[in-house]
Amino acid sequence: MRKLSICAALFSLALCGVLNAEEAMSMNAADKAMYAEMLENNPAAMDIAEGEELFNSLIGQEAYAKVLGVSVKDLPETIAGFPRMLMATPKYDFTFPKTMRKVVTLSQSLQMALADRDKKVLKLESKEMVKMTAYVKSLANDLKTNIDVKANKQMEEMVVLGKHIFEERRGGRGLSCNSCHSADIVGTRLRMQELPDLGAPATASASTWHAYRMTQSAMVSFDKRMQQCMKNALLAELPLGSKEMVALEVYVTNMGKGNTIQIPGLKR
Amino acid sequence: MERRSFLKGFGAVSACVALVPTIASAADDAKKVTGPNEMSVESALAAITGGKPVTPSSKVSLSAPEIAENGAVVPVKVTVESPMSANDYVKAIHVFGSKNNNSRCANVYLTPANGEASFATRIKLGATQDVLAVVEMSNGTFLSAKQNVKVTIGGCG
Amino acid sequence: MKTLVKIKPKDYNIGDIVKIDFMAMHPMESGMRKDKDTGAIVPAHYINEVNFFFNDKMLTKMVTWESLSVNPVLSISMKVSAAGTLKVLAKDNKGESVETSAAITPKG
């Protein structure tokens, strides 16, 4: 009896194999268009609206522009160039004996602005910070990512470190970011899903995060997404805000330099 | 020594065999989990139409992806050809996920003031299945359209 | 429950058909999902009624179920007959209700 059911199972497995081979592997152009249309009604729009309220009540454009050392008018263009080097005061980073140059992400620059205004510095992983950063990044919508990795010595160092981290194989499976996102395997599949070219305009990774992740039904930041990718690939997660994580963001943002900023994105 | 390793191997095999019925019963249990609003598409349809015939029609257009990489968010759009006038309009659009525990997704009751009979939303699909749209016209007839959506699990996290 | 109503396109005249998009932040719990930590079934919690009114007159009535996605979006059309207020009343199965409004301002 058991033998019979095993045979039946094997036969149905084989049958499935035949059927699957004839099926399309993933979404066709019309399917993709349907999902693209969903961008118009992105649930993350509600998070952005909340982020706007938070930003205006806690910081405001004028105070933020002051921290960045630019005029309010130049804010969008400046925001489009993050991560960038800023002057971090001991108020923001107590490990600093004096004001020092530091390459920071957009959320870290908001932390600096909060510290500057003697407000409670929100944690990078806090919901408030994620919403507020998404709103601020959306001020640069329709502009092109204009990160400048040659702007200064600090940025030059960070892009080198970022490349190293992107290519370093670690964790239980000895994988690196590059294992799945190198130019030569982009477009091949991982569990039905096409592996994306992080720098291509079609993916525009850095310029379309923060995004609403359908698998999580929530808006997720770019660095958090990279952490989730590390977790699934069995790599130790780099802490948000660490020099290594910022460097990785510098490197990946630079891969997609010139892509149009569209916040919030909508991802699988 | 040899006997020992043989026993070990045998132990492993019998462990595997013993596992088979466990898996099977776990699967049966999983099937028993039902939601508070469990209803098959047949029962849900009967409740709406009162047994009247439902005719597949090209007047009803249902768009949904052929392949959904994430069953938790599947876009569905229904439009119906209709003048939407006071005496000829679409009274209701019903959307079903034919194999969901509760097949009902939304019952949308329109009025001529809608100007156009259209409804779009995003639904959860537990598995590959047909999405069905049933439309009630103001003259009391029922039209329908359906589309199969394959739900895949893609990518890494 | 946070909600949002959008009217598209931005500019329209009397007689035009506009799209109305209603969004809500809602967990839409099916009542079948187990809590990862406790293993207990999370009770069903979903939006079960969404009604659209234009100038207090019923435009569209919806009965919705737990099979809608988390943070659902519902879109319908409306023929603009006059200036006025579009009101959306959403309720969930735990009795929470939210009213959201949008102004309808045709150009001509």
Side-chain angles (χ1 to χ4, degrees):
Chain A
M1 191 59 193
R2 182 171 287 151
K3 230 178 199 172
L4 194 69
S5 59
I6 289 172
C7 282
L10 282 175
F11 177 71
S12 53
L13 267 176
L15 197 65
C16 284
V18 172
L19 290 177
N20 278 338
E22 285 172 7
E23 283 170 7
M25 289 285 277
S26 58
M27 302 201 293
N28 58 30
D31 292 358
K32 282 181 185 159
M34 270 203 98
Y35 278 94
E37 212 176 277
M38 286 169 65
L39 259 173
E40 278 183 39
N41 289 318
N42 191 333
M46 286 179 276
D47 289 320
I48 302 267
E50 209 181 320
E52 180 175 7
E53 281 170 33
L54 277 166
F55 176 75
N56 288 336
S57 71
L58 293 173
I59 303 170
Q61 294 206 9
E62 266 174 48
Y64 183 54
K66 203 188 96 199
V67 168
L68 300 186
V70 297
S71 67
V72 170
K73 182 174 63 69
D74 291 334
L75 262 182
E77 200 60 49
T78 312
I79 291 164
F82 271 89
R84 58 168 64 243
M85 197 265 289
L86 288 181
M87 305 301 282
T89 64
K91 228 182 190 178
Y92 164 65
D93 192 331
F94 62 88
T95 62
F96 286 15
K98 56 179 171 45
T99 299
M100 287 172 82
R101 294 180 165 86
K102 187 179 162 119
V103 173
V104 294
T105 61
L106 192 60
S107 358
Q108 287 175 311
S109 77
L110 290 170
Q111 282 187 324
M112 290 166 71
L114 287 168
D116 190 59
R117 290 175 65 76
D118 298 313
K119 293 269 165 63
K120 187 184 151 216
V121 175
L122 296 165
K123 288 210 167 77
L124 292 175
E125 44 272 89
S126 72
K127 278 183 184 165
E128 290 82 3
M129 188 49 115
V130 172
K131 289 172 186 171
M132 196 157 74
T133 314
Y135 163 68
V136 172
K137 194 165 175 183
S138 77
L139 293 175
N141 273 353
D142 301 328
L143 295 179
K144 293 190 186 324
T145 319
N146 63 18
I147 186 170
D148 185 356
V149 292
K150 294 205 173 110
N152 45 60
K153 195 176 84 214
Q154 286 76 9
M155 285 295 282
E156 281 175 10
E157 278 173 18
M158 285 299 252
V159 77
V160 170
L161 177 62
K163 182 172 193 289
H164 174 74
I165 289 162
F166 194 84
E167 291 169 358
E168 186 183 37
R169 294 167 55 146
R170 48 193 189 98
R173 299 264 191 273
L175 296 170
S176 70
C177 306
N178 205 38
S179 305
C180 296
H181 300 290
S182 74
D184 40 328
I185 60 163
V186 154
T188 55
R189 282 167 210 281
L190 180 66
R191 292 178 77 209
M192 303 287 278
Q193 180 85 23
E194 274 181 39
L195 290 166
D197 177 352
L198 299 182
T203 318
S205 56
S207 54
T208 51
W209 292 92
H210 300 52
Y212 186 79
R213 278 208 79 188
M214 291 187 270
T215 43
Q216 292 167 16
S217 299
M219 186 174 73
V220 173
S221 65
F222 187 37
D223 44 6
K224 186 79 199 168
R225 176 65 185 108
M226 291 198 282
Q227 267 193 342
Q228 290 169 352
C229 197
M230 289 171 200
K231 188 181 174 194
N232 284 320
L234 301 180
L235 314 183
E237 294 165 53
L238 298 174
L240 299 182
S242 63
K243 189 177 181 188
E244 291 73 16
M245 187 56 119
V246 177
L248 185 60
E249 187 168 334
V250 167
Y251 181 70
V252 180
T253 305
N254 193 48
M255 283 167 83
K257 184 176 177 175
N259 287 331
T260 307
I261 297 175
Q262 295 289 352
I263 308 296
L266 183 78
K267 309 276 179 177
R268 178 182 59 85
Chain B
M1 197 62 194
E2 261 176 30
R3 183 167 167 260
R4 212 172 177 185
S5 58
F6 167 76
L7 278 179
K8 246 190 196 165
F10 182 74
V13 169
S14 47
C16 290
V17 172
L19 264 177
V20 172
T22 327
I23 291 165
S25 65
D28 287 346
D29 284 348
K31 272 182 202 156
K32 276 179 206 149
V33 177
T34 56
N37 303 316
E38 182 187 16
M39 191 181 272
S40 70
V41 69
E42 291 80 12
S43 319
L45 254 183
I48 288 165
T49 60
K52 282 193 192 162
V54 178
T55 323
S57 165
S58 59
K59 281 190 176 175
V60 183
S61 109
L62 168 70
S63 21
E66 275 177 41
I67 291 184
E69 280 172 349
N70 175 8
V73 187
V74 180
V76 174
K77 192 173 166 185
V78 184
T79 50
V80 191
E81 249 182 70
S82 163
M84 292 305 272
S85 63
N87 45 23
D88 183 5
Y89 66 101
V90 175
K91 263 173 115 171
I93 298 174
H94 307 279
V95 178
F96 304 93
S98 58
K99 278 190 190 159
N100 276 358
N101 182 265
N102 174 10
S103 61
R104 295 163 293 183
C105 297
N107 313 105
V108 180
Y109 301 93
L110 302 171
T111 60
N114 284 108
E116 199 176 82
S118 75
F119 170 63
T121 190
R122 293 147 199 192
I123 61 173
K124 293 180 229 168
L125 294 178
T128 295
Q129 56 187 283
D130 284 340
V131 174
L132 175 72
V134 172
V135 171
E136 184 178 357
M137 309 300 280
S138 54
N139 65 8
T141 57
F142 290 90
L143 307 178
S144 73
K146 71 175 177 183
Q147 195 194 313
N148 188 261
V149 178
K150 289 186 187 73
V151 177
T152 67
I153 300 167
C156 172
Chain C
M1 191 195 319
K2 252 185 297 169
T3 55
L4 188 70
V5 180
K6 290 202 275 184
I7 313 288
K8 281 177 202 160
K10 271 185 182 164
D11 296 327
Y12 46 84
N13 301 314
I14 286 182
D16 287 354
I17 290 173
V18 291
K19 213 174 123 216
I20 299 166
D21 298 324
F22 172 73
M23 280 188 239
M25 279 289 188
H26 201 283
M28 298 303 281
E29 284 292 352
S30 66
M32 293 172 70
R33 190 178 67 89
K34 279 184 183 162
D35 186 292
K36 265 183 197 159
D37 301 322
T38 65
I41 286 185
V42 182
H45 184 202
Y46 58 95
I47 296 175
N48 56 4
E49 207 182 306
V50 184
N51 293 323
F52 296 72
F53 300 88
F54 179 62
N55 287 345
D56 293 324
K57 209 178 147 202
M58 175 70 80
L59 173 71
T60 299
K61 185 180 153 69
M62 289 183 193
V63 177
T64 54
W65 302 91
E66 66 275 20
S67 334
L68 294 188
S69 301
V70 179
N71 303 328
V73 179
L74 299 160
S75 309
I76 54 166
S77 303
M78 182 178 81
K79 190 166 187 171
V80 179
S81 55
T85 309
L86 179 89
K87 194 172 79 184
V88 186
L89 197 63
K91 287 180 196 162
D92 73 17
N93 68 328
K94 289 189 178 173
E96 191 191 343
S97 75
V98 181
E99 194 183 297
T100 323
S101 299
I104 299 292
T105 48
K107 287 198 150 174

